[in-house]
Amino acid sequence: MSTEASALAQTLVQHSEEDVLQALELYDSFYPHARQQLLQQYEREPLKRYTGEILSFNPDKHFGFIRAPPEAELDKDVFCSSNEMGHFQVGESVTFTLIFNKNQQPQARLLQGPDGSVPQFKGYDESGPPLKLMRTEQPKAGYMGQGGTIRVAPPPPRPAIKVAITPPPPPASAGKGKVVNRPPAGPPPSFANGRPLVNPPPRAAMAPQNPPMVATPPAPCPPQHLQQQQMTSRLAGTILSFVPEKNYGFIGSQAAMAMFGKDVFVSSAEIGSFSIGEAVMFDVVQNAKGQPQARNLEACSLTLPAAGQEDPNRYVGTITSYNADKFFGFIACPEAMAVYGKDVFVSSYEIADCKVKDTVSFRVVLNQSGKPQARDLAPE
């Protein structure tokens, strides 16, 4: 979501609902082709708003952070720029709309104070770089507007650059009216018995002080199978495809997708008797190009959830950390790591009386960013 969109939203909320609706009616008349997009937008669920405390703000860097509310199920605090922060101060409680940037990092937009106040977009101060919204451009020559053609004056000519050339210093004189002749440039002449030699004898070649250096050939690169790096944990996934003629296929794994951003290659030597659609556990190695490949396949005892469906499994893991100031912690579980590729987030609402190093059982749901969250904790 662009900065311009936030600035426009801050302006709209300063007006009454009736004024905004009338403005949208005028907008619809100006851009009638956008009506379908507007209707589709209003059919979606609105972005959620949360309340949190402003933890910090750096005026030199023009940004700060808002404490992540537990109900948002975030594993980090929420970024907030100076354009959104406005007049609010550290320690104040604000309500904001939560969005995620292209890197899936949480950001706060359209802040509102307890009294209903919303800061007006003003850009950075004079010490910071100007924003694109604050930049103005001159109209181009030939643009036809009301009243005729706008003519833009040509830019003023650049001033001529004057270069001062300093003359060389005069030859040094030896007394009044006498000029000392300087010797010509070049190496000094050789002398013998006080007289210069016309053809001096060649100098004897000097023996080298150090023995000649011998280039050492580079060490040979190890074979490709020795360059592969094996991951420490096993992953779970479903065989998506296999082409017998090409002797390879691919395994779909949410954990591998989170780690590598792609499905996992599997060769005919590894797939064995498994077929498309079966759930498997496997080791992952990276070849010389960093691409994931499956090794040591075996049947998976977990029921892997399909995309968009709830995970039916109940996991057992250990609480490895909990931050009482931020109201969240994490659970380490090998089975959950195999499915999701990361430790499981747990909020203060779920952790209850459990403590770090306690063994617990739990369900897993995914938040808006697709990250695993623990639910229904029970001590083991």
Side-chain angles (χ1 to χ4, degrees), residues 11 38 64 111 151 165 189 201 234 240 258-259 280 310 326 365 372:
T11 301
L38 287 172
L111 272 65
R151 301 181 181 273
I165 302 176
R234 289 174 64 78
L240 299 178
M259 294 177 180
V280 292
E310 186 174 336
K326 295 187 176 181
V365 298

Side-chain angles (χ1 to χ4, degrees), residues 235-240 251-252 274-282 297-305:
L235 303 184
T238 303
I239 299 176
L240 299 178
I251 300 175
F274 292 109
S275 57
I276 295 175
E278 289 192 73
V280 292
M281 297 284 292
F282 55 93
L297 273 67
E298 64 179 10
C300 179
S301 59
L302 298 171
T303 303
L304 301 183

Side-chain angles (χ1 to χ4, degrees), residues 121-183:
F121 182 93
K122 294 182 179 179
Y124 293 116
D125 57 17
E126 295 179 357
S127 62
L131 293 175
K132 183 165 63 176
L133 284 176
M134 300 170 64
R135 197 184 305 147
T136 57
E137 297 179 356
Q138 294 181 346
K140 297 181 180 179
Y143 171 78
M144 180 67 71
Q146 295 182 358
T149 302
I150 298 177
R151 301 181 181 273
V152 179
R158 298 182 178 180
I161 301 176
K162 297 181 179 180
V163 180
I165 302 176
T166 305
S173 60
K176 186 175 181 180
K178 296 182 180 181
V179 178
V180 177
N181 294 324
R182 290 186 171 87

Side-chain angles (χ1 to χ4, degrees), residues 12-24:
L12 289 175
V13 297
Q14 308 287 341
H15 300 273
S16 66
E17 293 183 7
E18 182 179 358
D19 290 340
V20 173
L21 292 175
Q22 291 177 2
L24 288 175

Side-chain angles (χ1 to χ4, degrees), residues 10-294:
Q10 288 179 345
T11 301
L12 289 175
V13 297
Q14 308 287 341
H15 300 273
S16 66
E17 293 183 7
E18 182 179 358
D19 290 340
V20 173
L21 292 175
Q22 291 177 2
L24 288 175
E25 188 176 3
L26 293 173
Y27 178 87
D28 186 28
S29 69
F30 196 82
Y31 289 121
H33 60 275
R35 168 175 290 191
Q36 187 63 32
Q37 297 180 10
L38 287 172
L39 293 176
Q40 293 176 355
Q41 180 65 40
Y42 281 114
E43 290 177 355
R44 303 174 188 170
E45 288 291 329
L47 297 173
K48 294 184 178 180
R49 290 183 63 81
Y50 298 94
T51 301
E53 177 189 355
I54 300 175
L55 295 177
S56 63
F57 180 73
N58 189 324
D60 297 328
K61 295 185 177 180
H62 308 288
F63 70 83
F65 289 92
I66 299 174
R67 187 191 304 279
E71 61 270 21
E73 299 178 349
L74 301 173
D75 55 2
K76 59 182 64 178
D77 293 323
V78 183
F79 174 91
C80 183
S81 71
S82 59
N83 297 325
E84 305 290 341
M85 190 75 70
H87 62 276
F88 296 119
Q89 302 294 324
V90 174
E92 290 189 68
S93 179
V94 292
T95 303
F96 59 92
T97 299
L98 178 65
I99 69 165
F100 294 89
N101 64 9
K102 61 181 181 180
N103 296 324
Q104 293 301 310
Q105 303 300 316
Q107 297 189 345
R109 298 290 176 93
L110 205 57
L111 272 65
Q112 184 180 28
D115 58 351
S117 61
V118 176
Q120 184 65 37
F121 182 93
K122 294 182 179 179
Y124 293 116
D125 57 17
E126 295 179 357
S127 62
L131 293 175
K132 183 165 63 176
L133 284 176
M134 300 170 64
R135 197 184 305 147
T136 57
E137 297 179 356
Q138 294 181 346
K140 297 181 180 179
Y143 171 78
M144 180 67 71
Q146 295 182 358
T149 302
I150 298 177
R151 301 181 181 273
V152 179
R158 298 182 178 180
I161 301 176
K162 297 181 179 180
V163 180
I165 302 176
T166 305
S173 60
K176 186 175 181 180
K178 296 182 180 181
V179 178
V180 177
N181 294 324
R182 290 186 171 87
S190 301
F191 287 84
N193 298 325
R195 296 183 179 182
L197 296 178
V198 178
N199 295 316
R203 296 183 179 181
M206 298 180 63
Q209 299 295 325
N210 298 318
M213 298 182 63
V214 179
T216 304
C221 294
Q224 180 174 348
H225 70 277
L226 294 180
Q227 297 179 23
Q228 296 174 341
Q229 299 179 1
Q230 182 167 348
M231 308 298 291
T232 56
S233 59
R234 289 174 64 78
L235 303 184
T238 303
I239 299 176
L240 299 178
S241 63
F242 183 75
V243 183
E245 295 80 7
K246 296 186 177 180
N247 298 316
Y248 71 84
F250 289 94
I251 300 175
S253 168
Q254 184 171 341
M257 187 63 68
M259 294 177 180
F260 307 105
K262 58 180 64 180
D263 295 328
V264 183
F265 174 94
V266 59
S267 68
S268 58
E270 299 291 341
I271 200 168
S273 60
F274 292 109
S275 57
I276 295 175
E278 289 192 73
V280 292
M281 297 284 292
F282 55 93
D283 295 322
V284 176
V285 300
Q286 292 176 268
N287 63 11
K289 297 182 180 180
Q291 297 171 339
Q293 299 188 348

